Amino acid sequence: MCIRDRIKAVYEKALNFIKEKNNSLVEHLLSYFGYGIGLEFKESVTLISAKSEKIVEAGMCFNVLVGANNLQTSTGKSYAIMMADTLIVGESQNEVITISVSKKYEDVSYSLSEEDDQAATNGANTVTNGPQSYPRSDPTRNLRSNVNMIFQMQSEELRSTHQKDLLRVKQDELEERLQ
């Protein structure tokens, strides 16, 4: 992702890369490759899609992802996959802020089965955590909570820094107008 590129150009580059590697995946891909993170968690004006005319600027924060639905295993079972990282666009180099999060398969993967759904529906063998209940058989629950907590903390730090930068810019603009 480079500054001064249109977001749709980023989308096209990613799509062409996937087409080169495995063209059969294209029909299963999500309609976007991520989105900007700003005042809202998912900024719709910075959706990385074929239609986005927005220009990439230094300092922008994106959740870049690749997702595919309705894939089939060799046994015919349907599954979906999504991989993502969060980055900040830099003048000369982007910074991946989720670099310290484990990407080991056993740390980031989970599956939903009919048995888990049934246990949650019946309330059998569940752990209550606030308003929701989770099956005890979900070993990745704590990991996902920890990753979400880390991401929220990083997002809050980014938001705070961005707000301070915006305040400084607005104060400078006001000083110029008053002079």
Side-chain angles (χ1 to χ4, degrees):
M1 192 171 287
C2 300
I3 57 173
R4 292 181 282 287
D5 278 350
R6 292 201 184 279
I7 291 178
K8 73 178 184 181
V10 174
Y11 173 86
E12 290 164 2
K13 286 178 191 176
L15 185 62
N16 289 334
F17 178 82
I18 292 170
K19 283 179 180 177
E20 286 176 19
K21 297 297 180 185
N22 188 345
N23 194 39
S24 65
L25 281 178
V26 173
E27 67 185 89
H28 300 284
L29 292 174
L30 298 177
S31 61
Y32 59 93
F33 288 123
Y35 45 84
I37 301 172
L39 295 177
E40 295 186 28
F41 175 72
K42 186 176 182 180
E43 293 284 350
S44 59
V45 295
T46 54
L47 197 66
I48 304 172
S49 71
K51 298 176 184 178
S52 182
E53 293 291 334
K54 185 94 172 136
I55 305 273
V56 177
E57 299 174 25
M60 288 180 139
C61 184
F62 287 91
N63 183 351
V64 180
L65 62 90
V66 177
N69 294 312
N70 301 318
L71 299 169
Q72 299 289 318
T73 66
S74 58
T75 61
K77 290 185 98 177
S78 183
Y79 70 98
I81 187 168
M82 182 177 287
M83 298 166 281
D85 265 317
T86 303
L87 65 88
I88 299 173
V89 178
E91 288 288 340
S92 60
Q93 184 175 336
N94 298 329
E95 178 187 359
V96 179
I97 60 175
T98 49
I99 197 79
S100 62
V101 177
S102 173
K103 291 172 180 57
K104 291 181 183 176
Y105 179 79
E106 60 271 8
D107 291 340
V108 298
S109 67
Y110 63 95
S111 63
L112 303 175
S113 68
E114 291 177 18
E115 292 171 4
D116 288 343
D117 290 344
Q118 188 65 30
T121 303
N122 292 339
N125 200 24
T126 60
V127 176
T128 303
N129 185 5
Q132 293 181 315
S133 296
Y134 299 93
R136 286 189 191 274
S137 62
D138 186 357
T140 60
R141 160 100 178 91
N142 289 336
L143 174 66
R144 286 193 303 264
S145 295
N146 291 343
V147 169
N148 285 338
M149 184 178 70
I150 290 168
F151 181 74
Q152 287 171 352
M153 288 173 25
Q154 288 174 336
S155 295
E156 196 57 43
E157 287 176 30
L158 286 171
R159 190 175 5 267
S160 176
T161 302
H162 185 64
Q163 290 296 319
K164 288 176 186 174
D165 292 343
L166 285 175
L167 177 62
R168 228 176 290 121
V169 167
K170 292 298 180 188
Q171 286 174 335
D172 292 345
E173 288 174 359
L174 179 62
E175 284 179 21
E176 285 180 30
R177 277 191 266 155
L178 294 175
Q179 289 179 354

